[in-house]
Amino acid sequence: MTRSSNVNDTPVPAAGAAPDVDVVCLGESMVTFLPTAPGPLADVPAFERAIGGAESNVACALARAGHPTRWISRVGADGFGDHLVREIAGYGVDTRAVRRDPLRPTGIYFRTAGDRATAAHEVAYYRAGSAASAMAPATVDLTAVRSGRVLHLSGITAALSADCLGLLRAVMARAPHAHGDPPAGATRPLISFDVNYRPHLWSGTQGPRVLLDLARTADVVFVGADEAQAAWGLPDPRAVRAALPEPETLVVKLGAAGALVFRRAPGAADRDEAPAGTLVPAPTVDVVAAVGAGDAFAAGFLSAALRGLPLPTRVRHGHLWAAAALTVPGDLAAPPVRALADRLAALDDGAWGTLHLGPGWTDAMEAADQEGHAVDERSGTTDERHAPGAGGVERSEART
């Protein structure tokens, strides 16, 4: 029996029973403390509690968009663990495979309000020895890990501990592994891997090599051009593809410029459909905070892939979901509703190139849709003098 994942347009054999969720996300989530005012951590008077974690962010976004999703991790038997599980489940994510650790705490972190890329940005992590760092093939439910059409992972998990790295190697292995071998005839789900290189999490110099090896075993890989340069010294997306020829789909994110995507040609083991890659520009975005945008991009891409949409459209959905995250202050943002995202992703190249999204754009456009107003895709504002046509969002000629 097979079930099509649509992520790479190839059938995925079911592991025992048919997958019961679209996506399983495996990794640490933490309680996040966000400042109530700008400034260095030493001067911030108070913080607001939230949640954050690369894999759980993806799970929450996909669940909000209607995809059956499961998050797997370990949390402490403490109040912060209670909060994490409750909040993530509140997004519609299946958390039944999360295990509680009576000896280790739930990780937490504090950060400043500034952009992560600026010198003024500060993050204080309290995750060493956390419950999630004890994830290993023997301490998670491997049947649940393999229960989705797609298994989404990130390089952050590999950096947490030797046990966590062993877990990733076990679940990403293409051949049966000594730890938790799947049933006879079973195979792994499609593996989605976000490199997520965080130098401060790695001890020693082995991190880049480990991440490269893991990425080479994945089916879909997301990596920023900047982190590929930092981790591997690779100067451009084509060099990244040369270093990662194995993944069927490779998405190299270029920041505000968009993303370059490579996909292997059907039936070809070593040849891409477009050897130079396919560039999909990003819309202009008025950024509030960059935290969580990469996770939102991955979620938007996977959502469109699970629906079988064309490759460039998948990248556009990734850009739109990232834009929703970029225009709010926290790690998690509601993705644009499917009908709106589909209409925007279907814009012709000229209209897409003028798309300009600012804070509140998803609410403004959704409200305009409901009220029958046209949307100025250059600014995310509405114009009541123009009714949307059959093709979806129209440009208002009244604005410049």
Side-chain angles (χ1 to χ4, degrees), residues 154-302:
S154 96
I156 293 173
T157 303
L160 297 181
S161 68
D163 282 341
C164 285
L165 175 56
L167 173 62
L168 286 198
R169 286 173 169 159
V171 300
M172 296 178 76
R174 294 186 181 276
H177 193 275
H179 297 289
D181 291 346
T187 186
R188 69 177 196 171
L190 280 172
I191 302 294
S192 166
F193 183 70
D194 193 337
V195 172
N196 260 325
Y197 177 50
R198 300 287 185 265
H200 63 274
L201 292 180
W202 291 92
S203 58
T205 60
Q206 80 279 15
R209 180 74 246 180
V210 167
L211 293 175
L212 187 65
D213 290 343
L214 290 173
R216 293 181 69 178
T217 69
D219 300 298
V220 180
V221 172
F222 303 96
V223 63
D226 55 346
E227 62 182 339
Q229 170 69 46
W232 305 318
L234 300 174
D236 56 59
R238 293 192 69 177
V240 179
R241 184 50 159 170
L244 290 171
E246 295 87 355
E248 187 164 340
T249 302
L250 170 66
V251 182
V252 183
K253 296 175 288 183
L254 307 174
L260 197 67
V261 60
F262 300 86
R263 183 169 63 179
R264 193 176 308 136
D270 58 358
R271 180 170 53 84
D272 285 329
E273 290 177 332
T278 301
L279 177 64
V280 183
T284 300
V285 179
D286 297 329
V287 176
V288 172
V291 178
D295 306 328
F297 180 95
F301 182 97
L302 291 175

Side-chain angles (χ1 to χ4, degrees), residues 30 52 60 127 156 187 195 213 237 249 272 310 322 332 339 355 357 386 396:
M30 293 180 289
C60 290
R127 71 196 309 177
I156 293 173
T187 186
V195 172
D213 290 343
T249 302
D272 285 329
L332 283 168
L355 192 61
L357 306 172
H386 296 266
S396 164

Side-chain angles (χ1 to χ4, degrees), residues 270-345:
D270 58 358
R271 180 170 53 84
D272 285 329
E273 290 177 332
T278 301
L279 177 64
V280 183
T284 300
V285 179
D286 297 329
V287 176
V288 172
V291 178
D295 306 328
F297 180 95
F301 182 97
L302 291 175
S303 174
L306 286 160
R307 297 167 56 203
L309 300 182
L311 186 62
T313 305
R314 301 176 192 185
V315 181
R316 283 191 173 188
H317 276 266
H319 288 324
L320 291 169
W321 287 39
L326 288 166
T327 50
V328 299
D331 282 28
L332 283 168
V337 297
R338 179 172 293 183
L340 171 60
D342 283 346
R343 284 197 293 275
L344 292 178

Side-chain angles (χ1 to χ4, degrees), residues 95-147:
T95 60
R96 289 174 294 177
V98 176
R99 293 186 174 177
R100 309 302 292 263
D101 191 321
L103 302 177
R104 300 174 180 86
T106 304
I108 65 173
Y109 75 96
F110 297 77
R111 68 172 175 85
T112 53
D115 190 330
R116 177 183 286 165
T118 67
H121 185 69
E122 295 177 75
V123 181
Y125 288 102
Y126 299 89
R127 71 196 309 177
S130 69
S133 70
M135 289 189 296
T139 63
V140 300
D141 182 344
L142 292 179
T143 299
V145 170
R146 300 184 177 107
S147 63

